[in-house]
Amino acid sequence: VTSEAPQPRSRRERPAKSALTGPGIVATAVEIMRGEGLGRVTMRRLAHELDTGPASLYVYFRNTAELHAAVLDELLGEVDLSPAAEPGEWRDRLVRVLTSYIGVLYANPSLARTALVVRPRGRHYLDLVETLLAMLHEGGLATGRAAWALDMLLQFATRALRAVDEHRYPRTAAAREELFSGTPETRLAWNFQVLLNGILATPVPR
Amino acid sequence: VTSEAPQPRSRRERPAKSALTGPGIVATAVEIMRGEGLGRVTMRRLAHELDTGPASLYVYFRNTAELHAAVLDELLGEVDLSPAAEPGEWRDRLVRVLTSYIGVLYANPSLARTALVVRPRGRHYLDLVETLLAMLHEGGLATGRAAWALDMLLQFATRALRAVDEHRYPRTAAAREELFSGTPETRLAWNFQVLLNGILATPVPR
DNA sequence: ACCTGAACACCGTTCAAGT
DNA sequence: ACCTGAACACCGTTCAAGT
């Protein structure tokens, strides 16, 4: 079950001295996750797979949570962002991207749990945020509402956004201030109003 | 930090032979959680606190997840359901109960994580569901929409409802079929439509 | 039925020491 | 800077045996 492609890092073929690299480690971690679930992606198990001791991995990851976050972001690279650039209603395209996001998360349930716990800040996650914000702007939402809406849409399946790389993601950076505006109570109240207004405005199909 | 009230189950005062009871075990587990977080509520730690070995606890809980679920439900007893019976707008009262629910969850973040992972089925959780359904009905929502809305409102902070005690919770039982109607895709699509309709209908305050 | 000691098979993380 | 062996302080769960 665990050996589909030739393993580049098998214990057999590698020299005694390992050449650890961040991406290589994450790739191996993803392999373990696909084969056995995130619960088996432990420092010790991963180190064993890489023919080294667990201590070696602490050069690359401060702790296990950081390792899992790296695995999550790697998987987020599979989210299909292409609908954003296609023709058609922005709402439909937005839903297509979000559905792809949820699909990736729920393809591996243990991973979905991580997404609910860690605060993502990896490249792929930020690409997703930037793409979603672009579509909300396209839909005519002002910065403030777009930021809150983004937050809510993602929180709906996962959790709130925390930090962004301002340089790399201009639109995200622009929305940042709005993203953190308001008290937690105000935002929560707004969230519930959105839900209730939406519920009242949206009959169940059929 | 961990000793505020006199500990009824301290190792000192108890006889050699312990008298374990389900509620007693959960109470001790809650104590540990409040003092040190859910991460320290382990079979071994809890057994130590109860002056026994971890194996003894497997009579009461099939595994650690079940233990944590019991702790969660115990805490859910603190959710303030009283707004449901007060006068005033049903929307306001609904939001007050939901806010109390979220408040309880987020008062202990490690507990909130559990709520996202386990499928609650305890007494206190079912009381909450029944109360929320009553207010949605009061608001004029037909059974189908109320069921889906309930699901969505709770999922917004936690996760989907799974099973209910039909006898004890008549309204929940009545909504049950609706609660599971539709394909997952249909429900997801409806959820997104609700969110987007709500977002478009709800300007940010100020 | 309930409770137990002991064992099995794991964990995360740190540290002093090497290169 | 990167890598390591070894140690410390934990885990969940099962099982045979007791009451």
Side-chain angles (χ1 to χ4, degrees):
Chain A
V1 180
T2 184
S3 60
E4 33 186 11
Q7 297 151 301
R9 296 198 159 277
S10 121
R11 248 173 296 161
R12 288 253 137 71
E13 304 161 20
R14 285 213 352 290
K17 200 83 185 178
S18 60
L20 297 177
T21 67
I25 296 172
V26 173
T28 306
V30 168
E31 237 175 75
I32 295 173
M33 195 218 62
R34 286 198 210 280
E36 309 170 41
L38 193 73
R40 298 304 260 275
V41 181
T42 66
M43 290 294 200
R44 291 184 105 103
R45 175 82 167 70
L46 181 55
H48 179 82
E49 206 71 32
L50 294 165
D51 263 342
T52 183
S56 306
L57 299 176
Y58 283 80
V59 176
Y60 299 91
F61 308 101
R62 207 185 311 278
N63 50 46
T64 305
E66 219 173 74
L67 168 63
H68 286 181
V71 170
L72 171 63
D73 195 70
E74 184 66 23
L75 268 283
L76 252 28
E78 293 177 7
V79 175
D80 182 14
L81 304 177
S82 67
E86 286 166 10
E89 260 282 342
W90 68 272
R91 280 174 70 133
D92 294 339
R93 288 181 286 125
L94 183 62
V95 168
R96 293 226 296 285
V97 172
L98 285 169
T99 302
S100 170
Y101 169 66
I102 288 182
V104 169
L105 283 188
Y106 285 77
N108 194 305
S110 56
L111 191 72
R113 256 168 268 158
T114 308
L116 291 161
V117 170
V118 306
R119 36 211 87 196
R121 27 165 88 236
R123 263 206 63 154
H124 290 135
Y125 183 77
L126 295 177
D127 284 338
L128 172 64
V129 164
E130 187 72 6
T131 302
L132 294 174
L133 278 176
M135 282 184 285
L136 289 171
H137 280 274
E138 206 184 321
L141 268 75
T143 310
R145 218 202 298 193
W148 282 33
L150 168 78
D151 189 41
M152 206 175 155
L153 286 164
L154 286 177
Q155 210 182 107
F156 180 66
T158 56
R159 256 219 171 289
L161 173 81
R162 293 298 148 145
V164 293
D165 178 351
E166 313 208 7
H167 223 67
R168 215 187 167 86
Y169 302 91
R171 205 181 313 257
T172 305
R176 190 187 196 181
E177 204 168 320
E178 302 276 357
L179 218 43
F180 293 95
S181 69
T183 64
E185 292 75 22
T186 314
R187 302 190 53 126
L188 185 59
W190 185 77
N191 283 352
F192 280 132
Q193 289 313 314
V194 166
L195 278 178
L196 289 172
N197 281 334
I199 286 164
L200 291 171
T202 317
V204 169
R206 177 166 328 267
Chain B
V1 182
T2 184
S3 61
E4 35 186 11
Q7 297 151 300
R9 295 201 160 276
S10 117
R11 248 170 297 159
R12 290 250 135 74
E13 304 159 21
R14 285 215 351 290
K17 201 81 186 181
S18 59
L20 298 177
T21 68
I25 296 173
V26 173
T28 306
V30 168
E31 238 177 72
I32 297 173
M33 194 217 63
R34 285 199 210 278
E36 309 169 41
L38 193 74
R40 299 304 260 274
V41 181
T42 65
M43 291 294 201
R44 291 184 104 103
R45 175 81 168 73
L46 181 56
H48 179 81
E49 208 71 33
L50 295 166
D51 264 341
T52 183
S56 307
L57 300 176
Y58 283 80
V59 176
Y60 299 92
F61 308 101
R62 206 186 310 279
N63 51 45
T64 305
E66 220 172 72
L67 168 62
H68 286 182
V71 171
L72 171 62
D73 195 69
E74 184 66 21
L75 267 284
L76 252 29
E78 293 176 7
V79 175
D80 182 14
L81 303 178
S82 68
E86 286 166 10
E89 260 281 341
W90 68 273
R91 279 175 70 133
D92 294 340
R93 288 180 285 124
L94 183 61
V95 167
R96 293 225 295 286
V97 172
L98 285 169
T99 302
S100 170
Y101 169 66
I102 289 183
V104 169
L105 284 188
Y106 284 78
N108 195 305
S110 57
L111 192 73
R113 253 167 270 155
T114 308
L116 292 160
V117 169
V118 306
R119 37 210 88 195
R121 26 168 85 237
R123 261 207 64 153
H124 290 136
Y125 183 77
L126 294 178
D127 283 337
L128 172 65
V129 164
E130 187 72 5
T131 303
L132 294 174
L133 278 176
M135 282 184 285
L136 289 171
H137 280 274
E138 206 182 319
L141 269 75
T143 310
R145 220 202 297 193
W148 282 33
L150 168 79
D151 189 40
M152 205 174 156
L153 286 164
L154 287 176
Q155 210 181 106
F156 180 67
T158 56
R159 256 217 173 291
L161 172 83
R162 294 297 149 147
V164 292
D165 178 351
E166 312 208 7
H167 223 67
R168 212 186 171 88
Y169 302 92
R171 206 179 316 257
T172 305
R176 190 185 196 183
E177 205 168 318
E178 302 278 356
L179 218 43
F180 293 94
S181 69
T183 64
E185 292 75 23
T186 313
R187 301 189 54 126
L188 185 60
W190 185 77
N191 283 352
F192 280 133
Q193 289 313 311
V194 166
L195 277 178
L196 289 171
N197 282 335
I199 286 163
L200 291 170
T202 316
V204 169
R206 177 164 328 265

